[in-house]
Amino acid sequence: MDTPLSIVIVEKDQDRARMIVEGLRAVGAQDIAVFSDDAGLARRIAERSPDLVLIDIASPSRDVIEELTLASSPMERPVAMFVDRSDGALTQAAIEAGVSAYVVDGMRPERIKPILDAAIARFRMVQKMRAELIATRRALEERKVIDRAKGLLMAARGIDEDAAYALLRKTAMAQGRKIVEVAQALVTAAELLK
Amino acid sequence: MSAVLRLGYLPLVDAAPFFVAEALGFADQEGLSLALHPAPSWSALRDMLAMGLVDAAQMLAPVPVAQAMGLGGTRARFDALQLLNANGDVIGVSRALAAKMRDAGYGFDFTDAAGAGRALIAAAGSRLRIGVPFPFSMHMELVHYWLEHLGVALPEDLEIRTVPPPMMAEALAENEIDAFCVGEPWGSATVEAGVGDLLLPGTAIWAFAPEKVLAVRSGWADENPELTGKLMRMIWRAGRWLGEPGNRNLVSDILAAPGRLPISAEVIDRALSGRLILNAAGEVRTTDHLITFHRGAASFPWKSQAAWIATRLAARHGQDPAEAARAAAASFRTDLYRLHLGAAGADLPERDSKIEGAQAAEGPVSAARGKVILLADPFFDRRIFDPTEVLR
């Protein structure tokens, strides 16, 4: 019987980390530590000496993990990027899901694969939620800007809300721009003229 | 219909040739349309290039060398088509260490690397931790070279740690590191944050160091000769424009435009002008060639530069220096530079290698085309590196 894999997840958002941990536990992983991607990361990973490190591709701390791939690294067992040593489909899936995996030398791929499959699935979910959150936030901000621009037009030209919106839309179409861009320009100009 | 070329970069001042090529029509001139892809880290950018998500990328000059030597997390091989720039790094220390150095009588002259190094080591005591952005970087090489050649005993506990540039100020503030070497504007950012003092420009250690290269996957340039020519001419013309002193203010504005660098034009201009604010007291020092895009044949990918990096890496990682130097030199594609840029008007040196550190002052070397004037390139300890010792 193999000893349980020791896994480190580098993720500073606690909710996201929890989702990933749950996904890995579901396929039998037990020994999981979550580190935030702040200063001192390489030291803390080296102290724990994990078999597998999972990190968001977009994290600037990936370069810290790179230090662990060297023979002179603070970790006794050099690590390698997993996707580089495996099949193309898995590599593609990992990149699309936004996860980078580093494994220590000598680890058998068949021990890692189920964990990585689960990680990819979870990172994909996390990524989708993040994209939705960003889209929602942007939509909210855009609506705020458009509302302010409508208000400015209503006050300056004595028109009602529908007419103000129609004017914004007409201007945007004529200039080949988005409504929110025209609204933002108006809001900025109004602030300058205050 | 113009070809779309995907270029990867990190948001740093030395990504300037990409932005200038796009903004000022150097891409159009070659019938190229650019898709610029920012990357969050050097390892991510390296992987994007290795896996074909971008066609070419800004890359730390030691990365193609390390890949050629089989070091690092992936097995991809890269070609360096040309240098994007020489120099661009600064070295700084924590405010606590700076105060200790000042108390010991050190004057922060921002010039003398030997004096600065001795003062640093004396103040640090038995432990010194230095942050650099990436294990394979000119930052790493400069710090190693500097400390190894000071002629004083190094702290027992000397550690060079990887710290991503935007986190350098935080690492200083949290006492994870005592000093750093990083590309501008991130050194100035530690001064702005009130946690660091600048100690030296990178040029004080090596006056003309290959900093970033234009890299492609090995084989790509040979499979796409026409596109390679277009790419190289575009970048070379952008670099030439960047090298014109009169264009400096426009450069800062182009780089600070929305969607490019998340840095103010004022701070970008410090790197371009070499006029740096050293500390919270507002002391200013001016330094030459803090970042060089074009002068002194800066874009030529000298095989001796690759060989220098390779022998340094080989010594630290227990590899054969001659073998490492040969593999590295092969990845610096002087042949493509001559082929594609000679016709475009670039000055071409007669040889592919030079003795690194031997150019005491600005001056000419024999040219195969045009007139090649090199800038001074001494190391701080006046040693030289003769590549014929490792390259046959």
Side-chain angles (χ1 to χ4, degrees), chain A residues 37 43 62-63 66-67, chain B residues 42-43 46-47 162 167 176:
Chain A
D37 63 346
R43 178 173 45 78
R62 265 201 63 195
D63 286 349
E66 191 67 20
E67 188 177 317
Chain B
W42 288 113
S43 22
R46 179 198 57 198
D47 299 347
T162 307
M167 293 160 98
E176 283 286 336

Side-chain angles (χ1 to χ4, degrees), chain B residues 237-271:
Chain B
R237 289 191 185 114
R240 182 174 58 177
W241 187 88
L242 278 162
E244 293 293 329
N247 295 336
R248 211 184 74 207
N249 288 335
L250 194 48
V251 176
S252 308
D253 288 340
I254 289 172
L255 298 195
R260 296 203 174 117
L261 303 186
I263 305 161
S264 78
E266 188 272 322
V267 178
I268 292 172
D269 194 61
R270 287 190 211 172

Side-chain angles (χ1 to χ4, degrees), chain B residues 70-388:
Chain B
L71 295 170
T74 86
R75 290 181 290 190
R77 294 285 183 273
F78 300 135
D79 282 340
L81 302 179
Q82 66 204 81
L83 260 66
L84 290 177
N85 61 299
N87 308 337
D89 302 333
V90 295
I91 291 165
V93 295
S94 69
R95 291 200 70 182
L97 205 51
K100 252 175 130 177
M101 291 166 71
R102 216 168 269 120
D103 289 346
Y106 178 65
F108 283 80
D109 57 38
F110 211 57
T111 313
D112 171 16
R118 287 192 202 105
L120 171 66
I121 284 171
S126 66
R127 188 172 80 156
L128 180 58
R129 301 157 304 169
I130 304 183
V132 299
F134 199 61
F136 308 112
S137 61
M138 193 42 64
H139 319 83
M140 183 70 144
E141 297 313 317
L142 290 175
V143 167
H144 265 284
Y145 186 89
W146 177 43
L147 297 181
E148 278 169 28
H149 293 141
L150 279 175
V152 297
L154 295 179
E156 285 157 41
D157 187 5
L158 171 67
E159 250 186 84
I160 302 181
R161 294 184 179 175
T162 307
V163 180
M167 293 160 98
M168 211 56 94
E170 185 194 335
L172 271 183
E174 294 192 356
N175 193 26
E176 283 286 336
I177 53 172
D178 308 298
F180 62 83
C181 179
V182 73
E184 274 293 84
W186 298 108
S188 289
T190 69
V191 176
E192 295 294 297
V195 295
D197 282 25
L198 299 188
L199 179 63
L200 288 174
T203 49
I205 296 168
W206 188 8
F208 200 82
E211 171 67 25
K212 302 284 176 6
V213 296
L214 176 66
V216 295
R217 260 183 333 283
S218 275
W220 186 88
D222 304 299
E223 288 155 21
N224 301 281
E226 208 178 313
L227 200 51
T228 302
K230 289 172 186 284
L231 166 67
M232 291 181 71
R233 285 190 295 272
M234 168 188 86
I235 295 296
W236 179 74
R237 289 191 185 114
R240 182 174 58 177
W241 187 88
L242 278 162
E244 293 293 329
N247 295 336
R248 211 184 74 207
N249 288 335
L250 194 48
V251 176
S252 308
D253 288 340
I254 289 172
L255 298 195
R260 296 203 174 117
L261 303 186
I263 305 161
S264 78
E266 188 272 322
V267 178
I268 292 172
D269 194 61
R270 287 190 211 172
L272 298 172
S273 65
R275 213 180 115 79
L276 295 171
I277 298 172
L278 293 200
N279 49 39
E283 262 183 275
V284 171
R285 293 278 189 284
T286 303
T287 180
D288 285 339
H289 313 304
L290 183 67
I291 183 163
T292 302
F293 292 101
H294 187 73
R295 268 185 74 180
S299 56
F300 192 76
W302 295 94
K303 289 186 183 293
S304 45
Q305 293 173 336
W308 183 84
I309 297 167
T311 55
R312 302 288 307 162
L313 285 174
R316 289 208 301 281
H317 295 284
Q319 292 195 13
D320 176 59
E323 212 171 287
R326 274 195 298 275
S331 72
F332 273 44
R333 299 293 301 270
T334 50
D335 57 328
L336 296 177
Y337 191 99
R338 291 178 188 282
L339 175 69
H340 293 298
L341 297 183
D347 296 329
L348 299 176
E350 191 186 346
R351 295 170 189 280
D352 285 341
S353 278
K354 60 190 168 88
I355 298 181
E356 298 294 333
Q359 193 78 30
E362 187 169 356
V365 290
S366 55
R369 191 194 169 285
K371 201 171 161 190
V372 179
I373 312 280
L374 298 184
L375 295 176
D377 74 342
F379 293 99
F380 80 98
D381 59 356
R382 298 295 184 265
R383 277 170 207 243
I384 56 164
F385 171 73
D386 182 351
T388 57

Side-chain angles (χ1 to χ4, degrees), chain B residues 47-71:
Chain B
D47 299 347
M48 283 162 69
L49 184 62
M51 290 164 188
L53 301 180
V54 292
D55 301 306
Q58 166 208 33
M59 196 59 70
L60 298 151
V63 168
V65 173
Q67 299 295 128
M69 295 169 64
L71 295 170

